[in-house]
Amino acid sequence: MDPAQGIRKRKRTELKYGVLFAAPVLLGYLVFVLGPLAFTFALGFTEYSMVGSPKFVGFDNFVRLFTGKEPLFYDAVISTLYYVLVSVPLGIAFSFVMAMLLNSKIKGRAFFRGLFYLPVIIPLAASSVIWLWMLQPDFGIVNYLLGLLHIPKYTWLSSDTSVIPTLIIFSLWLTGNTMVIFLAGLQNIPAHLYEAIEVDGGNALHKAWYITLPMSSSIIFFNTVIGFVNAFQTFVQPSVMTQGGPNNASYLIVYYLFKEGFQFTKFGTASAAAFLLFLVILLCTAVLFKFSNDLVYYEGKERGR
């Protein structure tokens, strides 16, 4: 047999078996990701209430959303942007600082690592209920402790001005995964780089600025992208803790489209809002990747390439 022909035959065989073994994953992605995405996009151009067949209405659902004919949509957009733009940077900074502390040589380090990761393994709905009880304005333990310190009680989830900041504080409770990823990245930084800083007379601040932050930039970028994606899709907290209140101040976008679809049976409007959310997340991710070339350091890769 011609050697070239044998190579081509072997490559075809490898391709056949590769596709065969990858078929379950590809099929699952097609059925559970691309399929629902395409169906949601198509449903956004219809009027559908689960009774009868979808009625094609063109861009009417999108026009209603943008022109304010769906009154809660802009409330949901504003609340979501407020929550995302504050909670993500704050969560990244908090988890990074905690990872740096837990990476240092402190007594009981393993215990504290497990303690800070523990909230992640608690079901989010259960955590939301616990925090709801703790933050009750009249009999919650948090305001009780504030009273012992002679600090005025805070409204927490009971005021439209404090509900989003309270949800942002609660989001810090859920940064265990981010912290662990940061911790893994910090442990991969070569020790000789810190030793070189010490030889040059640098202090802890120099180590953090010139070594820790640049060497962790790829991890910061990864956690930032994941943080934005997750924050835009926040649903359990407003659903369990506030039901969108008070005065629709915590009506986040995923909770909005859930209510539109499954309570008011306006699946066309809900699908249109869901597709707009997909576009916003896609745009934010693209912008982050656009600026990552100049801000993120990858070992062995030239800047800007």
Side-chain angles (χ1 to χ4, degrees), residues 243-255:
Q243 291 79 50
N247 298 324
N248 302 323
S250 61
Y251 223 91
L252 301 187
I253 190 66
V254 175
Y255 183 70

Side-chain angles (χ1 to χ4, degrees), residues 6 27 33 35 40 57 68 82 102 105 120 133 137 147 159 193 254 263 271 274 276 288:
L27 184 61
V33 178
T40 300
V57 294
Y82 178 18
L102 295 176
K105 296 179 180 179
V120 177
W133 291 342
S159 169
L193 297 178
V254 175
Q263 180 171 335
S271 297
L276 291 175
L288 289 172

Side-chain angles (χ1 to χ4, degrees), residues 6 31 36 89 112 114 130 184 201 228 265 277 304:
V31 173
F112 286 109
I130 293 172
F228 271 104
T265 63
L277 175 62

Side-chain angles (χ1 to χ4, degrees), residues 16-207:
K16 180 179 67 175
Y17 282 108
V19 172
L20 180 63
F21 283 112
V25 176
L26 297 176
L27 184 61
Y29 187 80
L30 177 64
V31 173
F32 296 108
V33 178
L34 293 182
L37 181 62
F39 181 72
T40 300
F41 176 68
L43 208 59
F45 295 93
T46 67
E47 181 181 319
Y48 182 52
S49 61
M50 293 189 69
V51 178
S53 301
K55 177 184 176 182
F56 181 76
V57 294
F59 288 94
D60 185 60
N61 290 325
F62 295 94
V63 171
R64 289 179 62 84
L65 291 175
F66 283 116
T67 56
K69 292 182 179 179
E70 298 293 338
L72 292 177
F73 176 69
Y74 279 112
D75 291 338
V77 169
I78 294 172
S79 298
T80 302
L81 290 177
Y82 178 18
Y83 176 80
V84 170
L85 294 178
V86 178
S87 67
V88 174
L90 188 61
I92 293 296
F94 175 78
S95 56
F96 186 71
V97 171
M98 293 306 304
M100 290 182 64
L101 293 174
L102 295 176
N103 193 45
S104 59
K105 296 179 180 179
I106 59 174
K107 191 174 182 179
R109 180 172 60 178
F111 168 76
F112 286 109
R113 287 178 179 178
L115 182 65
F116 281 101
Y117 186 75
L118 183 63
V120 177
I121 65 177
I122 300 176
L124 185 53
S127 295
S128 300
V129 172
I130 293 172
W131 274 71
L132 181 61
W133 291 342
M134 292 171 55
L135 298 175
Q136 285 292 332
D138 297 323
F139 56 85
I141 189 173
V142 176
N143 274 347
Y144 173 75
L145 295 176
L146 292 178
L148 294 179
L149 298 173
H150 303 288
I151 299 175
K153 293 181 179 180
Y154 194 59
T155 53
W156 301 112
L157 299 169
S158 303
S159 169
D160 54 354
T161 58
S162 62
V163 62
I164 293 296
T166 302
L167 293 178
I168 291 171
I169 294 173
F170 176 64
S171 70
L172 301 180
W173 170 263
L174 307 172
T175 56
N177 276 333
T178 307
M179 182 200 68
V180 168
I181 295 172
F182 275 133
L183 187 58
L186 292 174
Q187 292 176 344
N188 284 329
I189 298 177
H192 67 81
L193 297 178
Y194 293 114
E195 295 170 358
I197 289 285
E198 293 176 356
V199 170
D200 291 338
N203 53 30
L205 184 60
H206 293 122
K207 292 179 181 178

